[in-house]
Amino acid sequence: MNDTLPPQFDLADGFAAHVLSWARSMGAPADSLAVLPGVARALSLAASAGHVCLPLAELQRPEGGVEALAVEALRGRLLHSGLVASEDEIGGPRPSPRPMVLDAGDRLYLRRFFDLEWRLARALTSRAGARTAAPADEGVAALLDALFPSRVDAAGPDWQKLAVALALDGRLTVISGGPGTGKTTTVAALLACLLQREPALRIALAAPTGKAAARMLEALRSRAQGLPPALRARLPDEAHTVHRLLGVTPAPGRFRHDADNPLAVDVLVVDEASMLDLALAARLFDALPAGARVVLLGDKDQLAAVEAGAVFAELSATRTLTPAMLERLATLCGTPAARIAQALAGDDAAAGAVQGAAGAVQALADSVIWLTESHRFRRDSGIGRLAADINAGTGGAALAWLQAGEDAAAQWIADEGARPGAQTLARMQAGYAPYLDCLRNPRGDVQARVAAAFAAFDRFRVLAAVHEGPRGLAALNAHLERHLRAALGLPAAAGSAGRWYPGRPLIVLRNDYLLGLYNGDVGLCLADEGGELVVYFPRSGGGFRAVAPLRLPEHDTAFALTVHKSQGSEFDEVLLVLPAAPNRVLTRELLYTGVTRAARRVALAGPQDVFLAACAARTRRHAGLAARLAQCARAGFR
């Protein structure tokens, strides 16, 4: 058993010791010195866990790291320590050098995160407040009607059409929708309308990962087939990762494009925006020209970014349309304002999904919209029903329905053991049977064989909730590797050379800008024309390119992926393997994200108490972006 603590604990202990030494050198009072190490350690660990800040009330918990103190007493000790600045001290003529900040809502920040949050809030508020309200162009209105014809069977407003109309005159539009709700179709229509109005617009497409960027471009091309040829020809022909768009430099955290060297774009569309962490979002908005439009696409119910922050969830937690905007949308879309308002009111129960989100309403009014109708699957069947039950936290009802086996699109595999049971292993192996058949019977030239292998491999994926343990990522990948080797008659792995074998899938874990490979890219190890093993990756414009195994950046085998790594991907079928016991990372957002990676069928394997505990647990990311947005709105940053 390895008793070594994870590196974040060493970092937290080091920060606590540094803060204590610094405070002593400044002559901090004894009562401040008594609480500072515990507070500093807790704040560092919170940042490692994805929190932007730490409410003082959290420090009162038994595990909070400090003695039991009233919030008011703790606040006083921190502010008298000399190392914690109040919110009012920041940004004056002589900015405070203190490493921590305590805001008016008793949220404690590392100074870097506080500055990033303020920068992003100012940029968002300024952009959200700049609406042109240009007169409706007859050509654009006609195109809108052609793209979104009226449906007599519609139960509510056409939110896709409303989203396009909302975005036409704004410099910030946040569009949240679950799988199959038409986010890409909406963007294709929006870009067509904008290009009809301004044919020379410079449009950029981006996503946090290479896989998500490629999928966005592919989906946009597909959705654009119904557009007039002249408009279709002017759509972007490539999509970038956000890092590549900004231009990575050798200096960590620095990009070629920033406020002094903005991006040359008029419209920026960012897909899978729920994966944007606070730092990357702030730097992206820093680099945007003042007049550029920004459209953020994502799913507010998905997992947040791996790094600190839950920016998209905070921005899209509530949606508010002013009376003036309701009337404008009614005019543009031919939908009565009262009908739109009634539909909005019907979703009010979901508006409190993120704590403190209501404070952002004024700042983001007329900038946020939800797509609520799935065109991929009905809400009351299969994947749609399961996803809705998970989101609602009704785990008992979801489990009973799964166990009853009422819909073949969603299956429950009762698997209570410490290791995956026989039924789970059989389902894993059956899922990859078409891939194995493709490897056994290659047909056509190399490009045809590679295309067939990718098509077979991408139809199914095993998703893991955790990395370690018998039911974790490493163990699942090891089992599937042994199965593939045995099925293809390959020898067992021996030494480093044995890591490479025909059919090995892998995922890139670190960006390599020289090779053009990015974190999350998935490749397949296959023989080239000369019979040498190389790793093929899809090209953004179609086809595949080969990379020698020795040139690859850090990578791992990818028969199974973590749910986090699967974001931005879609598979026909998914098997989600749950751990043997409840885990703090296993939440309803993780379940929802894993389940909604499936387009046709999903199976969950694990103990029922683990599933129920996950449905009951919500991802909590402490942040103050909503409060910063409200402050910016009050201060007139519009």
Side-chain angles (χ1 to χ4, degrees):
M1 180 175 178
N2 185 1
D3 294 324
T4 303
L5 289 174
Q8 63 263 33
F9 287 90
D10 288 337
L11 182 64
D13 289 338
F15 180 61
H18 176 67
V19 163
L20 180 60
S21 175
W22 189 352
R24 279 176 175 157
S25 72
M26 296 178 63
D31 60 353
S32 294
L33 294 176
V35 300
L36 267 178
V39 169
R41 186 176 189 276
L43 184 58
S44 178
L45 289 174
S48 298
H51 301 290
V52 174
C53 59
L54 188 60
L56 294 190
E58 290 292 309
L59 291 164
Q60 295 178 300
R61 298 173 179 266
E63 69 275 15
V66 299
E67 60 183 281
L69 284 174
V71 167
E72 184 176 349
L74 182 56
R75 183 194 311 123
R77 292 192 187 190
L78 292 175
L79 293 176
H80 286 105
S81 70
L83 295 190
V84 178
S86 70
E87 186 178 328
D88 295 337
E89 295 177 72
I90 304 300
R94 291 188 298 174
S96 170
R98 300 176 187 180
M100 293 176 280
V101 178
L102 186 61
D103 78 355
D106 286 328
R107 303 175 189 89
L108 185 66
Y109 289 81
L110 294 171
R111 173 63 187 272
R112 181 174 74 92
F113 285 156
F114 186 80
D115 290 345
L116 286 169
E117 204 171 71
W118 257 117
R119 273 166 48 195
L120 180 59
R122 283 195 293 266
L124 290 166
T125 309
S126 174
R127 207 166 287 275
R131 303 200 68 86
T132 60
D137 179 271
E138 289 186 7
V140 169
L143 183 57
L144 260 179
D145 288 338
L147 292 169
F148 301 103
S150 298
R151 296 181 333 192
V152 295
D153 62 335
D158 188 334
W159 289 112
Q160 290 177 279
K161 187 175 185 180
L162 291 169
V164 173
L166 185 73
L168 281 173
D169 302 326
R171 287 198 290 134
L172 173 67
T173 307
V174 180
I175 302 175
S176 175
T181 52
K183 295 188 292 292
T184 308
T185 300
T186 301
V187 166
L190 171 62
L191 297 182
C193 291
L194 290 173
L195 286 168
Q196 178 151 309
R197 182 188 286 173
E198 300 178 65
L201 280 176
R202 299 168 298 175
I203 299 170
L205 307 177
T209 68
K211 179 72 172 179
R215 184 164 169 253
M216 177 193 192
L217 183 62
E218 179 184 352
L220 183 64
R221 286 172 173 164
S222 174
R223 305 300 190 275
Q225 292 305 307
L227 296 178
L231 288 177
R232 192 166 63 241
R234 290 199 288 269
L235 290 173
D237 57 5
E238 63 178 335
H240 307 275
T241 65
V242 175
H243 284 83
R244 184 182 169 204
L245 180 74
L246 292 175
V248 174
T249 67
R254 300 280 184 177
F255 295 99
R256 191 168 66 252
H257 292 289
D258 54 20
D260 297 323
N261 180 32
L263 293 161
V265 299
D266 301 308
V267 180
L268 172 64
V269 180
V270 182
D271 198 11
E272 298 293 344
S274 62
M275 300 167 69
L276 287 176
D277 60 82
L278 174 63
L280 188 58
R283 291 183 174 109
L284 179 62
F285 277 84
D286 283 347
L288 286 170
R293 301 172 189 267
V294 186
V295 180
L296 301 179
L297 302 174
D299 185 343
K300 63 183 177 62
D301 298 315
Q302 273 194 35
L303 283 168
V306 174
E307 303 297 330
V311 172
F312 189 81
E314 288 194 275
L315 297 183
S316 57
T318 57
R319 52 178 183 170
T320 298
L321 299 178
T322 61
M325 178 54 68
L326 287 171
E327 292 298 332
R328 179 162 179 76
L329 293 178
T331 301
L332 287 172
C333 300
T335 304
R339 189 181 182 204
I340 302 172
Q342 184 179 15
L344 283 170
D347 290 317
D348 278 350
V354 173
Q355 186 176 7
V361 169
Q362 180 184 358
L364 299 181
D366 299 335
S367 297
V368 180
I369 197 161
W370 300 344
L371 305 181
T372 55
E373 181 184 0
S374 177
H375 304 278
R376 184 183 304 163
F377 36 69
R378 300 193 318 274
R379 184 180 175 88
D380 62 347
S381 65
I383 299 168
R385 173 170 175 169
L386 179 57
D389 284 349
I390 290 170
N391 254 345
T394 54
L399 184 61
W401 176 76
L402 280 170
Q403 291 172 330
E406 296 181 12
D407 194 316
Q411 181 184 1
W412 173 255
I413 300 175
D415 191 350
E416 303 281 339
R419 299 179 180 277
Q423 189 178 357
T424 301
L425 296 177
R427 184 60 172 266
M428 289 166 55
Q429 293 164 193
Y432 284 120
Y435 180 55
L436 291 176
D437 288 342
C438 184
L439 296 175
R440 289 191 193 98
N441 303 293
R443 294 184 178 87
D445 61 15
V446 168
Q447 286 289 312
R449 294 199 299 270
V450 173
F454 268 98
F457 180 69
D458 282 340
R459 65 172 294 280
F460 173 77
R461 196 69 87 249
V462 175
L463 300 183
V466 296
H467 282 268
E468 305 302 329
R471 303 173 69 92
L473 181 73
L476 298 176
N477 270 319
H479 173 83
L480 286 165
E481 178 174 314
R482 290 192 298 269
H483 172 68
L484 180 140
R485 285 179 178 274
L488 297 182
L490 301 173
S496 59
R499 296 176 59 236
W500 298 104
Y501 52 89
R504 182 193 178 195
L506 61 86
I507 183 169
V508 174
L509 301 177
R510 180 174 53 81
N511 295 335
D512 187 321
Y513 295 94
L514 291 178
L515 278 179
L517 294 176
Y518 303 97
N519 186 3
D521 287 354
V522 173
L524 295 179
C525 181
L526 300 166
D528 64 9
E529 293 92 337
E532 294 292 324
L533 289 178
V534 296
V535 181
Y536 287 95
F537 291 91
R539 294 183 185 275
S540 59
F544 304 89
R545 64 189 182 102
V547 178
L550 292 178
R551 297 189 64 201
L552 291 172
E554 184 182 356
H555 57 272
D556 199 0
T557 302
F559 289 106
L561 298 175
T562 62
V563 175
H564 269 288
K565 287 293 187 184
S566 74
Q567 284 183 270
S569 299
E570 179 183 293
F571 312 100
D572 282 352
E573 298 186 28
V574 160
L575 170 63
L576 176 56
V577 180
L578 304 180
N583 187 294
R584 65 179 181 83
V585 304
L586 195 57
T587 62
R588 72 176 67 165
E589 288 82 4
L590 185 139
L591 285 183
Y592 171 85
T593 303
V595 164
T596 55
R597 296 312 88 205
R600 291 180 49 244
R601 294 178 63 197
V602 64
L604 293 90
Q608 63 179 22
D609 65 319
V610 172
F611 177 82
L612 295 173
C615 286
R618 299 219 59 169
T619 299
R620 298 173 68 229
R621 284 284 177 96
H622 298 305
L625 182 58
R628 303 286 88 77
L629 287 166
Q631 288 173 307
C632 286
R634 289 195 296 270
F637 289 109
R638 290 181 71 93

